[in-house]
Amino acid sequence: MSETTTGAHLSQVWHDVLGTQPAPALWLVWATAAAALLLVVSRPSWRIGRNLVTIAHEGGHGLAAVLTGRRLTSIRLHSDTSGLTVSRGRPHGPGMVLTAAAGYTAPPIVGLAGAWLLSADHITALLWLAIVLLFLMLLMIRNAYGVVAVLVTGGLIFAVSWFASASVQAGFAYVVVWFLVLSGVRPVIELQAKRSRGEAPESDADQLGRLTPFPAGLWIFLFFAVSLACLAVAASRLLSVTP
């Protein structure tokens, strides 16, 4: 690609980021919802797709820590799709509570924010905002698998936004957003199943149970309720497209 062609492409991308794109046909919105649902319920695809949920989960912890004045020191993503975010500050209080609560609620909330952008026809802006957020998260990753996971995710989004047609970008963006809002419920169910077997004594819900007067079970119910609410609102936004 020549320098002139590259410059023209950059100018077009910047124009697309600031502008809007045509809304996809309603059948495509339903098709991407079905595809995302299949990714969530199918065990093999969930095993891969859960890495995206973990990125959003740990990113939620990290962002909450920064916004509440804690010092974010590291984020680790593991090959078993678990993760760990470490921040320093008061071991108790609102900042610690919000940081602990942000993990399971982050994927559906991020998905809801994405649904709002898509319903406003800001498809390219959504893709590039995701790239920026992944780059900022990459600065805090402290293990090799985490670096690879974030780079692969960001690289895929960049490739779609840079090389793919507008229709492919729309389909990709809708699948990702549907996946995030649909996948909010499954990790909460998995967490409760692990807790019932005594396998997750240090889960976010259990930490919140020790940090607050409310038991871990109530926090799990809150995670579940937030996920369902985000899914309902996001679905109403995404299915109201008018091409």
Side-chain angles (χ1 to χ4, degrees):
M1 184 181 291
S2 68
E3 184 177 343
T4 301
T5 303
T6 302
H9 200 167
L10 282 171
S11 178
Q12 181 60 44
V13 169
W14 184 243
H15 178 270
D16 291 341
V17 169
L18 295 179
T20 60
Q21 291 73 47
L26 187 58
W27 70 264
L28 180 61
V29 179
W30 278 106
T32 55
L37 180 60
L38 181 62
L39 291 174
V40 172
V41 299
S42 171
R43 185 183 297 271
S45 60
W46 175 247
R47 178 66 181 79
I48 298 173
R50 204 183 193 289
N51 285 280
L52 177 60
V53 178
T54 303
I55 289 173
H57 180 115
E58 300 304 328
H61 283 314
L63 179 60
V66 171
L67 293 178
T68 57
R70 299 180 61 80
R71 185 166 68 88
L72 180 62
T73 58
S74 68
I75 298 176
R76 293 176 179 270
L77 308 173
H78 303 135
S79 59
D80 63 354
T81 70
S82 65
L84 177 66
T85 298
V86 178
S87 62
R88 300 195 181 280
R90 292 180 58 196
H92 303 281
M96 188 62 198
V97 171
L98 290 173
T99 299
Y104 281 94
T105 56
I109 290 175
V110 170
L112 177 58
W116 180 82
L117 283 172
L118 291 182
S119 66
D121 299 330
H122 291 293
I123 297 171
T124 304
L126 170 65
L127 297 176
W128 279 83
L129 178 60
I131 293 171
V132 171
L133 292 175
L134 285 169
F135 173 76
L136 293 175
M137 185 175 182
L138 182 63
L139 300 177
M140 300 307 302
I141 297 292
R142 294 295 182 267
N143 68 319
Y145 183 85
V147 170
V148 172
V150 173
L151 285 177
V152 168
T153 303
L156 176 60
I157 297 173
F158 174 78
V160 170
S161 66
W162 188 261
F163 298 109
S165 65
S167 59
V168 172
Q169 289 185 29
F172 177 81
Y174 271 81
V175 167
V176 170
V177 168
W178 275 119
F179 178 79
L180 286 171
V181 293
L182 285 168
S183 66
V185 174
R186 181 163 178 172
V188 179
I189 296 175
E190 292 175 342
L191 171 61
Q192 181 56 31
K194 287 182 178 179
R195 291 186 69 255
S196 67
R197 299 190 298 267
E199 297 176 359
E202 296 301 321
S203 71
D204 293 350
D206 288 282
Q207 291 182 46
L208 287 163
R210 292 190 290 269
L211 289 167
T212 69
F214 310 110
L218 183 59
W219 285 103
I220 289 177
F221 175 78
L222 176 63
F223 297 158
F224 192 79
V226 169
S227 297
L228 289 181
C230 287
L231 174 58
V233 176
S236 68
R237 299 286 297 185
L238 294 172
L239 295 173
S240 65
V241 297
T242 54

